[in-house]
Amino acid sequence: MDNFMAARSQMALSLGFHIIFSCIGMVMPFFMAVSHFLWLRTGEQVYQNVTKAWSKGVAIFFATGAVSGTVLSFELGLLWPTFMKHAGPIFGMPFSLEGTAFFIEAIALGFFLYGWNRFNRWFHWVTGVVVGISGLASGILVVAANSWMNSPTGFDFVNGQYTNIDPIKAMFNPAWFSQALHMCIAAFAATGFAVAGVHALMIFRKRNVDFHLRSFKIAAIFGVLAALLQPLSGDISAKMVAKRQPAKLAAMEAHFKTEPYSPLIIGGIPDVKNQKVNYAIELPGMLSFLVYDNFKTPVKGLDQISKQDQPPIAVTHYAFQLMVALGMAMMALGVLYLIAIWKKRLWLTAGWFLKLFILATPIGFIAVEAGWTVTEVGRQPWIIQGVMLTADAVTPMPGIHYSFYLFTAVYVSLSIAVIFLLYRQIKMVPVIYDVKPKPVHAK
């Protein structure tokens, strides 16, 4: 493994682990705030128990997200020094603001965790809401920095020099809204289905049923609504990619030939040598319609993009197809859930229904990982689209592969520790289904 591949692999590993921790850290506080609100309004003890249990999970993921995110910050400078030398002054603002949001999140989380029976009960609830808002802001700011790499603006690049730098314009680049929207909705969908799946397993095993039914309902509603909204954000993102990164879109769709009535490719195995896709379902004109809102306009294919500017086609295509397939699966399960709560409430405790949610526990995060693979691999060979090649940004320091092996071991160990801690928290959930509600705070 050469330095270039080792550096890319280490960055991919770090991002792959961090994105799971950060998504849960962004979204879980909102689940916690809803259960806390329900306790304050109803006085039912079960909601307080849910809030306290979830707050411990939030603390775990906040800690692991902070550690993995800090590592990523160092890696940007250590593995890609040329990139940071030139790009740092341009897109450094969202990273600085992200640090401020993280600082606010840490303070608010401390207030929430240690504020039980110490603060006014509504002020205490507000601190939990602030945890969620600041965590979401952190995620949006980081995505703004990434979107700048896909759609660089806010500077002039003349004779190898970056001039007329405008950090505000760079942060609010043309791709930031579509990427941030898509990422935030994906985080809610993935976390919602993952949390709902864990509680569905406990209901299926008939453990603390009342506790887990209430928890399941909150998480499932968030996950289902996000999954149903995701295609709208996906459409916005795809149109932006078509405009700013046509090579990425062509690789996503394995779209080799520029032609009217460009087909939408479903599945298939790209044959790069022969410029075709085997075993795929083609929907004539649908790609043209999705990109340009009409069926005839040709979509730029790989035949109009030079070989050296094409991303890895197979990886990008497979990752995109996987993301879409899992998104559709979550949508289908979401429709079933809406039918259940409106017409078929007995489904909510039926074994087959719970098994579907149990099976769906990891699929949201697999879709998130696939989506980030599309984002990062689909931008290659550029680290800054159209401006700087990834190969030109890597560190000349030797022995990066040893660092990659070390970080792999660290992240695997960290994941095992997180799984162990979460397992302990689930096992320690209080038995509450025999406890009568105590509306001590209800008015």
Side-chain angles (χ1 to χ4, degrees):
M1 181 183 295
D2 60 21
N3 265 9
F4 179 55
M5 185 53 66
R8 286 191 62 193
S9 299
Q10 182 172 324
M11 202 72 192
L13 175 78
S14 302
L15 278 168
F17 277 93
H18 177 68
I19 199 169
I20 295 175
F21 301 144
S22 59
C23 282
I24 298 174
M26 285 166 52
V27 173
M28 277 293 291
F30 291 101
F31 297 2
M32 181 180 75
V34 169
S35 61
H36 193 183
F37 178 81
L38 292 172
W39 174 62
L40 292 174
R41 290 301 301 268
T42 68
E44 293 186 48
Q45 187 65 38
V46 61
Y47 287 120
Q48 185 188 41
N49 290 341
V50 171
T51 304
K52 288 186 173 181
W54 277 348
S55 68
K56 293 175 181 177
V58 168
I60 291 170
F61 283 105
F62 176 82
T64 51
V67 172
S68 57
T70 302
V71 169
L72 276 170
S73 299
F74 283 111
E75 284 179 337
L76 280 172
L78 293 173
L79 299 178
W80 313 102
T82 305
F83 167 70
M84 290 304 295
K85 175 184 176 181
H86 296 284
I90 305 171
F91 83 143
M93 179 173 285
F95 277 127
S96 300
L97 294 175
E98 191 273 338
T100 302
F102 175 80
F103 182 65
I104 295 171
E105 183 183 6
I107 294 173
L109 182 59
F111 279 179
F112 187 83
L113 293 175
Y114 298 101
W116 291 99
N117 302 319
R118 291 181 175 88
F119 296 137
N120 172 278
R121 59 198 184 98
W122 285 105
F123 174 79
H124 184 221
W125 175 76
V126 168
T127 63
V129 174
V130 171
V131 173
I133 293 173
S134 54
L136 194 62
S138 293
I140 291 173
L141 289 165
V142 170
V143 172
N146 180 269
S147 65
W148 178 84
M149 296 164 68
N150 293 318
S151 182
T153 52
F155 65 96
D156 293 327
F157 187 63
V158 182
N159 297 325
Q161 299 296 319
Y162 298 82
T163 60
N164 299 325
I165 294 173
D166 184 345
I168 299 295
K169 189 175 180 180
M171 184 167 68
F172 295 106
N173 59 82
W176 86 268
F177 175 76
S178 59
Q179 274 197 224
L181 179 66
H182 196 61
M183 184 64 235
C184 290
I185 294 176
F188 274 95
T191 305
F193 275 92
V195 175
V198 171
H199 291 293
L201 178 62
M202 295 298 106
I203 298 168
F204 183 76
R205 292 179 175 178
K206 302 189 185 303
R207 296 181 183 176
N208 309 331
V209 175
D210 189 33
F211 175 95
H212 291 293
L213 273 173
R214 313 280 184 117
S215 305
F216 172 82
K217 183 177 181 180
I218 294 171
I221 288 174
F222 272 102
V224 166
L225 292 179
L228 295 175
L229 289 172
Q230 189 66 297
L232 299 177
S233 71
D235 180 63
I236 295 171
S237 294
K239 284 180 168 61
M240 179 56 64
V241 169
K243 181 179 179 181
R244 308 288 299 193
Q245 297 177 290
K248 179 186 286 187
L249 180 69
M252 287 160 55
E253 292 290 343
H255 181 52
F256 289 104
K257 186 178 179 181
T258 305
E259 58 185 350
Y261 301 99
S262 299
L264 181 70
I265 303 294
I266 300 176
I269 301 174
D271 182 351
V272 178
K273 182 179 179 180
N274 295 307
Q275 302 286 286
K276 63 179 182 177
V277 185
N278 298 318
Y279 314 112
I281 299 172
E282 292 191 10
L283 304 179
M286 282 304 298
L287 184 60
S288 295
F289 177 76
L290 291 174
V291 173
Y292 297 114
D293 296 324
N294 70 74
F295 292 96
K296 187 176 181 180
T297 305
V299 176
K300 189 175 184 178
L302 291 163
D303 59 344
Q304 292 191 5
I305 299 167
S306 62
K307 292 283 186 181
Q308 63 267 26
D309 290 337
Q310 293 181 10
I313 297 166
V315 173
T316 307
H317 177 70
Y318 293 143
F320 178 69
Q321 294 292 317
L322 179 62
M323 178 188 70
V324 172
L326 294 177
M328 295 296 290
M330 286 189 288
M331 287 182 63
L333 187 51
V335 171
L336 276 179
Y337 180 77
L338 293 179
I339 294 172
I341 60 176
W342 283 337
K343 298 289 185 180
K344 303 284 186 179
R345 299 194 68 85
L346 291 178
W347 286 5
L348 296 173
T349 53
W352 66 270
F353 186 78
L354 295 171
K355 286 179 181 178
L356 288 177
F357 271 91
I358 294 167
L359 292 172
T361 300
I363 66 173
F365 285 111
I366 296 172
V368 167
E369 298 285 6
W372 271 101
T373 299
V374 172
T375 299
E376 298 303 302
V377 176
R379 189 178 61 246
Q380 300 309 310
W382 304 99
I383 192 169
I384 306 175
Q385 181 70 41
V387 177
M388 180 183 291
L389 293 169
T390 309
D392 293 338
V394 71
T395 178
M397 184 179 71
I400 297 297
H401 58 285
Y402 295 115
S403 173
F404 169 61
Y405 300 145
L406 176 62
F407 273 77
T408 300
V410 169
Y411 277 113
V412 170
S413 301
L414 183 62
S415 298
I416 293 171
V418 170
I419 291 170
F420 173 73
L421 290 171
L422 292 175
Y423 177 75
R424 283 190 61 190
Q425 290 302 321
I426 293 170
K427 291 274 288 184
M428 291 170 63
V429 167
V431 179
I432 62 166
Y433 47 79
D434 288 329
V435 177
K436 295 180 180 179
K438 298 178 180 180
V440 292
H441 293 304
K443 290 186 179 181

